[in-house]
Amino acid sequence: MDENDVPPLFLCPISLQLMRDPVTVCTGITYDRENIEKWLSSCKNYTCPVTKQPLSQHTDLTPNHTLQRLIQAWCSHSACLGIENVPTPKPTIDKTQILKLISEAKRFPEKQLKCLKSLQSIALESESNKLCLVSSGVILIDFLASIMLSCISQEDSPLKSEVAIEVLFHLNPCGAQLKNLINNEGTIQLIEALFQVLRHGNYKSRSYATMLLKSAFEVAGPTQSSSVRTELFVEITRFLKDQVSNQGSKAALKLLVELCSWGRNRIKAVEGGSVLVLIELLFEVSERRSCELMLAALDKLCDCAEGRAEFLSHGAGLAIVSKKILWVSHVASDRGVRILSSICRYSATTKVLQEMLQFGVVSKLCLVVQVESSFKAMETLKLHSGVWKNSPCIPLPLLSFHP
């Protein structure tokens, strides 16, 4: 039996599939709970799909018990035709139950792990449960952050910290919610808690912490973003070096780029060892987006004298950046040229200029001028044209592109 044999009344207007948990919105239209919740939360489309009337983001979804019984009766009657029975949906969780769990965990520390696992099950069960957990707001976030911090400071069972950060990660709070949370004085400990998990957690927990920190700092204010400690850059760098996961590494790179938009943070990142690790990773990584992010981070770090000095202390820094130009993407080429331009403009010793010739960096800049008509590459070549003009290291066909 296919979908054409299902009574239209039993089909969800969004997916045109058999409803398993019919709920009615304020416009009087009935949808399958999973479909309408995805419509409201993921699609960010707060209108009734059928009537186009506006709906609240957290609109009340009233279970349609009559339709549920009709669907179950029809499934039972059609069992001989291969139709599976639709089980009765579990009752949805409400905010009162969440607060009760949190209160119980606070009063009875020995019950904390049990309460955390209950919250974990709730978060993974359905989208409506996630929305309910998120609606608990600061109270829940503070509770999870305090668990993560206490497990570190008291050397408590790491399992509690692992479950706490997994609950927080699966809530996937939106930017506005995170902004309200991290700007609230009572939740400043959230950043510290994530930092501690990044430092002491297992691989999975460290990945969660990195991705949550990335999301948090994307919406953080100038005070929080510009006042991070050097130790955070040490842990971000260590996470990148460990190559825990592809998704986590990209989050760490984005976090590094975001934080290094603030001048003083660049020096902290250099002190944390970021420059040398990024250069080493460029040798190993060929995936486009990862290369772009690494070069973007190096570009930020080479804006400060400390970053350029660290970059030049690596014997292959110039060579690997030059290699990525015209090889990965236009974005990567642009970032690579910017790095070389910073080196040429502010750190061009005689030794550096000779190395740029020997490693083929000058030839690559000539190619960029030829292929992409890059003003930045042309400008960089002009800075030291007197030194490079007559060098045998520049191929003859490219001499016409040298200023």
Side-chain angles (χ1 to χ4, degrees):
M1 179 176 288
D2 58 29
E3 292 174 0
N4 294 327
D5 299 314
V6 179
L9 179 65
F10 299 164
L11 296 176
C12 176
I14 299 176
S15 64
L16 298 181
Q17 295 177 336
L18 180 67
M19 287 188 279
R20 307 183 72 82
D21 185 4
V23 292
T24 304
V25 299
C26 59
T27 59
I29 306 298
T30 296
Y31 301 94
D32 183 66
R33 182 184 292 276
E34 182 180 359
N35 282 272
I36 192 62
E37 284 175 349
K38 285 181 179 178
W39 174 270
L40 291 171
S41 61
S42 301
C43 301
K44 308 298 182 187
N45 196 342
Y46 308 129
T47 59
C48 175
V50 173
T51 67
K52 307 304 179 185
Q53 291 177 276
L55 297 173
S56 167
Q57 180 181 358
H58 301 296
T59 189
D60 289 331
L61 303 177
T62 306
N64 191 328
H65 297 298
T66 301
L67 184 57
Q68 177 73 41
R69 286 192 290 270
L70 287 172
I71 291 173
Q72 289 177 323
W74 177 79
C75 288
S76 298
H77 181 72
S78 306
C80 60
L81 300 175
I83 301 296
E84 294 183 4
N85 192 30
V86 174
T88 302
K90 293 182 180 179
T92 56
I93 201 80
D94 61 39
K95 186 176 177 179
T96 304
Q97 293 169 277
I98 302 297
L99 297 178
K100 184 178 178 181
L101 273 173
I102 295 172
S103 176
E104 184 178 3
K106 288 179 177 178
R107 289 169 54 202
F108 305 104
E110 67 275 10
K111 294 185 178 181
Q112 283 183 349
L113 183 57
K114 181 181 178 182
C115 292
L116 284 167
K117 288 191 173 181
S118 295
L119 291 171
Q120 183 183 39
S121 297
I122 290 169
L124 295 173
E125 195 167 272
S126 69
E127 195 66 31
S128 60
N129 284 357
K130 285 184 184 180
L131 291 173
C132 182
L133 284 166
V134 170
S135 71
S136 303
V138 173
I139 297 173
L140 176 60
I141 301 298
D142 276 351
F143 168 67
L144 295 174
S146 66
I147 291 292
M148 289 184 266
L149 284 172
S150 66
C151 289
I152 300 300
S153 61
Q154 299 175 12
E155 297 184 355
D156 203 342
S157 168
L159 183 57
K160 287 199 291 187
S161 178
E162 293 167 15
V163 177
I165 196 165
E166 186 167 348
V167 171
L168 183 57
F169 177 77
H170 285 298
L171 292 185
N172 192 26
C174 67
Q177 291 163 335
L178 269 174
K179 188 171 184 178
N180 289 334
L181 291 169
I182 63 175
N183 288 336
N184 183 290
E185 291 184 3
T187 57
I188 293 175
Q189 65 173 350
L190 173 62
I191 300 295
E192 178 64 20
L194 293 175
F195 165 68
Q196 293 296 344
V197 173
L198 181 59
R199 171 180 276 183
H200 299 286
N202 61 19
Y203 277 4
K204 188 176 180 181
S205 296
R206 289 170 67 200
S207 290
Y208 288 153
T210 302
M211 289 183 270
L212 285 166
L213 280 167
K214 188 267 295 183
S215 299
F217 278 110
E218 282 177 347
V219 296
T223 302
Q224 286 131 331
S225 295
S226 61
S227 60
V228 297
R229 295 176 292 168
T230 302
E231 288 81 3
L232 177 58
F233 290 101
V234 171
E235 294 308 321
I236 294 171
T237 302
R238 184 168 71 93
F239 181 83
L240 284 170
K241 189 175 181 180
D242 290 344
Q243 299 186 57
V244 176
S245 69
N246 186 47
Q247 186 181 10
S249 293
K250 286 184 180 178
L253 289 167
K254 290 176 183 177
L255 176 58
L256 192 58
V257 172
E258 178 71 32
L259 291 176
C260 287
S261 297
W262 303 89
R264 180 62 189 168
N265 284 348
R266 294 167 191 162
I267 299 174
K268 297 174 187 175
V270 174
E271 292 172 349
S274 296
V275 174
L276 298 182
V277 167
L278 287 170
I279 293 172
E280 290 294 328
L281 289 174
L282 275 173
F283 279 99
E284 304 171 14
V285 175
S286 58
E287 196 266 327
R288 179 186 63 82
R289 185 56 180 153
S290 295
C291 284
E292 290 174 350
L293 288 168
M294 290 175 191
L295 290 167
L298 281 172
D299 178 27
K300 297 276 188 185
L301 295 171
C302 285
D303 273 347
C304 68
E306 293 84 354
R308 293 189 296 273
E310 193 79 350
F311 179 87
L312 290 171
S313 73
H314 193 294
L318 290 168
I320 189 58
V321 168
S322 174
K323 181 179 179 181
K324 297 298 180 181
I325 295 174
L326 296 180
W327 184 258
V328 179
S329 68
H330 177 74
V331 172
S333 296
D334 178 68
R335 294 299 178 184
V337 169
R338 285 172 59 92
I339 293 167
L340 298 177
S341 178
S342 293
I343 298 297
C344 287
R345 186 173 295 278
Y346 303 110
S347 304
T349 64
T350 301
K351 179 183 177 183
V352 169
L353 294 178
Q354 289 303 313
E355 286 180 349
M356 293 182 77
L357 280 171
Q358 294 166 6
F359 295 156
V361 177
V362 180
S363 298
K364 181 59 72 76
L365 289 171
C366 290
L367 270 174
V368 175
V369 174
Q370 177 185 8
V371 174
E372 298 188 352
S373 302
S374 169
F375 174 78
K376 178 66 74 173
M378 178 69 77
E379 186 181 54
T380 304
L381 287 168
K382 284 181 178 180
L383 287 172
H384 304 288
S385 58
V387 178
W388 294 332
K389 181 69 175 178
N390 299 315
S391 172
C393 295
I394 302 178
L396 288 175
L398 294 179
L399 283 176
S400 59
F401 296 99
H402 195 288

